Amino acid sequence: MINIILADDHKLVQNGIKLLLQEDPSLHVVAEASSGTEVLQLLETHTETDVVLTDIMMPGMDGLTLQNEMAVKFPSVKVIFLSMYNEIKQISTAMKNGASGYLLKDADHQELLFCINFAVNGGVYVSSRITTNLLSVLDAYTHPQEINIIAEQLTEREMQVLQLIAEGLTNMEIADKLFLSKRTIEGHRQELLKKTGAKNTVMLIRAAVVQRLV
């Protein structure tokens, strides 16, 4: 069971996200908050929390300030941002400070679930909707080393999946396009990260673009 605190100052948005999360029996929303201050208070009592899924712009203490406070007081809890802002300054700051994920609010249900599970297992996930002109900056923060993708080590199917990831498709969209299951695509994504040594999707796509594989 993955225990989640959900933070968003818009109640309708918060309720919608909660309903999506409740569709997965492995996820449990233990509490809800409308500011960073409330999240910190909830973490004091909900010690079982694994993930804080939070907006950036909230009244009082915002998401980025919350992230900094959590790094000191609750370092084992993962922070995933779910925001409408696709701005380089906010995204790069979040990733530099150790966020486990950054999703845009137009992410689909399947991408949200994948991000949460990936983060809990030690990964770092950035929304496939993040534009490619941010990749070099984000990569510098998430992992400064370059990777070398050896195309010959990838299967034809993995190359197809890599191309579609680079085009910004979600796992579900890739699955539909290739007539495969979402779980199969998730497996291919994990295998791509493993084979290339990339720590996250941003690093993987950037290397693929630089090496002209996509």
Side-chain angles (χ1 to χ4, degrees):
M1 180 71 69
I2 299 174
N3 296 305
I4 300 168
I5 290 179
L6 179 59
D8 196 297
D9 61 316
H10 294 94
K11 195 63 179 178
L12 285 175
V13 174
Q14 190 180 95
N15 289 340
I17 297 169
K18 184 177 180 180
L19 286 173
L20 290 177
L21 297 177
Q22 287 176 336
E23 292 182 11
D24 189 325
S26 70
L27 305 179
H28 179 219
V29 177
V30 297
E32 300 159 59
S34 58
S35 72
T37 302
E38 287 184 34
V39 172
L40 292 177
Q41 293 170 345
L42 290 167
L43 285 169
E44 293 286 354
T45 54
H46 292 279
T47 57
E48 76 278 22
T49 303
D50 301 299
V51 174
V52 169
L53 182 61
T54 180
D55 195 1
I56 284 186
M57 301 303 293
M58 296 183 291
M61 183 184 293
D62 63 22
L64 294 175
T65 304
L66 168 64
Q67 179 186 22
N68 292 335
E69 291 289 324
M70 286 179 57
V72 175
K73 299 177 180 178
F74 307 99
S76 65
V77 180
K78 308 292 186 182
V79 178
I80 297 174
F81 288 103
L82 184 60
S83 175
M84 63 182 290
Y85 294 101
N86 185 5
E87 296 180 6
I88 188 169
K89 182 178 180 180
Q90 291 175 326
I91 298 170
S92 60
T93 298
M95 303 315 293
K96 177 183 177 181
N97 291 343
S100 293
Y102 194 107
L103 289 173
L104 300 179
K105 284 187 174 177
D106 65 356
D108 67 21
H109 178 206
Q110 299 300 329
E111 186 174 24
L112 174 60
L113 298 183
F114 178 83
C115 177
I116 293 171
N117 282 280
F118 193 55
V120 167
N121 286 295
V124 176
Y125 184 86
V126 178
S127 176
S128 58
R129 300 301 187 191
I130 300 295
T131 52
T132 55
N133 67 317
L134 297 179
L135 294 179
S136 59
V137 176
L138 288 171
D139 182 58
Y141 287 129
T142 55
H143 200 283
Q145 299 177 350
E146 295 291 341
I147 63 170
N148 181 40
I149 300 176
I150 302 174
E152 290 74 16
Q153 292 182 351
L154 305 182
T155 66
E156 181 179 351
R157 181 66 79 192
E158 287 167 349
M159 287 295 292
Q160 289 177 321
V161 172
L162 178 60
Q163 175 68 47
L164 295 173
I165 291 173
E167 291 176 10
L169 274 66
T170 65
N171 287 337
M172 182 56 70
E173 289 169 340
I174 295 172
D176 290 342
K177 194 174 186 68
L178 298 181
F179 303 102
L180 298 171
S181 70
K182 180 183 71 71
R183 186 175 297 276
T184 297
I185 299 303
E186 290 175 355
H188 284 311
R189 187 189 285 264
Q190 295 275 20
E191 192 65 20
L192 282 166
L193 294 174
K194 179 180 177 181
K195 283 186 176 181
T196 61
K199 298 299 182 184
N200 51 61
T201 304
V202 171
M203 191 176 175
L204 174 67
I205 298 175
R206 180 174 184 269
V209 171
V210 169
Q211 294 173 221
R212 300 183 183 278
L213 296 178
V214 296

